[in-house]
Amino acid sequence: MENLENSTDCKETVSPLNNSGSILNSTVSRHDGKAMGFVLVHAGAGYHSESKAKEYKHVCKRACQRAVDRLRAGGLALEAVTAALTELEDSPFTNAGTGSNLNLSGEIECDASIMDGKSLNYGAVGALSGIKNPVLVARRLLSETQKGKLSAGRIPPCFLVGKGAEQWAISHGIPACPTEKMTTKFSLSGYKRNKRKMELAEQVETKRKRQSCGHENDFGCLEPVRDIMVEGEENNSACLDTVGAVVVDREGNVAAAVSSGGLAMKHPGRVGQAAHYGCGCWAENARDVSLYSTAVSTSGSGEHLIRTMLARECSTAMQAENAHQALLEAMQNKFISSPFLAGEDCVLGGVIVLRCCTCGEAQRSEDIQALLVEFLWSHTTESMCVGYMSAQDSKARTHISRLPPGAVAGQSLAIEGGVCRLGTASD
C-alpha cells in the first residue's frame, strides 16, 4: 500500500477492460468538511439500454445522495447502506422492490440481505411478498439478532422466507404493501409477453413430441424453442439487475446490502443469491492492522452466484496487495472458470467491491483521521450501472460499464474502479 498512502485525491477508471490493466484519471476530492465516508452502489449487472441510461444513472445518483446524507448526519455504515437500498428499491426502473419481475403466478417475491462489518451480523429475507422495501425487513432481522436471545432462550432468526417473513415484518411494524401497488406497467407488460412466449414454447414442444412419436406430421417447420425464450433469460437480459450498495463510514466500519425481484417468470418460492449468506453481499471490518476492511455486493444470475459464493470469495481476495489484480483473478478463477459451474457455457454476474484501511498519516497524528478507500466493479454481463460518492463530494458520479467490443457475455469480463483518500480535521 506504500504507493498509495501519499495520495490526496480520488482516481477512477473510465474504460471497460477485458482481463487487462486499468487507466487512471485523477480527479480532486474536497477535504473541507467534517463528514467522512464513501458509498458505491449498483443498479444491476445485465443489460442497460442507451434509451434508459439516464434513468439508471439518476437512480444511482439518488441512492448515493441518500447514503451520504445519512453519513453527514452522523449515521454509520449500516444506516447509510440501508438508505441507499431503499432508494434503489423504490425506483420503478430496477428489479427490486417496486417494479420487480413477476413470477410464474404473476406475483412479486423479493430477496434481500444486509451485513454489518463491525458486528458481522447478517439479516435476510427470501421469496418475500407484500412488503415495499425488503431491505428494511432484512435490516430489522439483523437488529433483532443483536439484541440477544428471545424468551425461553430461543435463538432469533437471521433469515426468513415467504409468508413467515411477511408476517414477521408486519408484526415488527413494517407496513404491508399489496403486489398491485408494487407492479409497474413495464413489469406487467413484460409478464404478459413472457407468459405468451412460454405458452407458445409449450405448444411447440408438444407438437415436437407428437411428431417424434409419428403423430400429426403436418405441422410444417416448427419455430426453434431458443427463438422464443422468456425475456430475462437471454445473455443480454435487463432482468438480472439486482441492486446493491457498499459503504464505509467515518469510523472505518463497512456494510453491504443487496436486493432483488429475481429472474423473470421464476417458480414461486425460488430464492436467489440476494438472500443467501456469502452470495449476495459480504462485509467485514479488519480484525488486524495488517488487514483491510472489505464490503461486496453482487448481481447477476442467482444460481451462478449461489454455487460460487462469489461475495465472500471476492472479499477474501481483497486481502491481496493489488486489489485490481486480485478481483480480476477472483472473477476469472472463482466465477467464470469455477469448477462448480463447469457445465455452464455462459456465466453471468457482477460485483461491486470496496476495501479500506487507515492512511499512514492518520496513524501518526491524533489531529487527522484519514481512510484510504479502493473501490472496484467487475461484470461478465453486457453492462453494469454504478454510482459512487464520498461524504466530501458535492455530487455523485455515475457510469454504465460495458464489455469491450467483441467480448462475449458470460465468457469475458470488464473490471474498473479507483482509489480515494478520505480525510477530515478533528476539533
Side-chain angles (χ1 to χ4, degrees), residues 293-304:
S293 295
T294 59
V296 182
S297 182
T298 69
S299 177
S301 176
E303 279 65 24
H304 295 166

Side-chain angles (χ1 to χ4, degrees), residues 230-245:
V230 170
E231 291 179 11
E233 301 293 332
E234 299 101 326
N235 292 352
N236 66 346
S237 169
C239 298
L240 300 175
D241 49 357
T242 297
V243 302

Side-chain angles (χ1 to χ4, degrees), residues 178-293:
T179 291
E180 53 267 27
K181 289 190 176 181
M182 298 173 64
T183 304
T184 63
K185 292 181 179 179
F186 178 77
S187 62
L188 183 58
S189 63
Y191 170 74
K192 290 179 178 178
R193 287 195 305 271
N194 286 331
K195 192 171 184 179
R196 287 195 296 269
K197 288 183 178 183
M198 288 186 64
E199 291 171 350
L200 179 57
E202 289 170 359
Q203 291 173 12
V204 169
E205 188 61 29
T206 298
K207 293 176 180 178
R208 195 184 305 278
K209 288 179 179 179
R210 287 174 178 173
Q211 285 187 340
S212 66
C213 294
H215 300 147
E216 302 185 30
N217 293 319
D218 57 349
F219 289 103
C221 182
L222 297 177
E223 183 179 9
V225 175
R226 65 177 180 273
D227 294 335
I228 51 177
M229 292 176 68
V230 170
E231 291 179 11
E233 301 293 332
E234 299 101 326
N235 292 352
N236 66 346
S237 169
C239 298
L240 300 175
D241 49 357
T242 297
V243 302
V246 290
V247 172
V248 58
D249 63 28
R250 67 182 186 276
E251 296 180 2
N253 300 314
V254 293
V258 61
S259 183
S260 178
L263 294 173
M265 308 304 285
K266 65 182 180 180
H267 193 283
R270 180 260 191 187
V271 177
Q273 105 285 352
H276 281 77
Y277 188 69
C279 306
C281 68
W282 191 264
E284 188 170 1
N285 280 12
R287 303 300 171 189
D288 186 279
V289 293
S290 64
L291 300 176
Y292 296 97
S293 295

Side-chain angles (χ1 to χ4, degrees), residues 47-56 238 383 400 402:
Y47 175 75
H48 303 83
S49 66
E50 293 293 349
S51 63
K52 292 184 180 178
K54 184 177 180 180
E55 286 83 359
Y56 279 110
S383 61
I400 295 184
R402 300 189 186 278

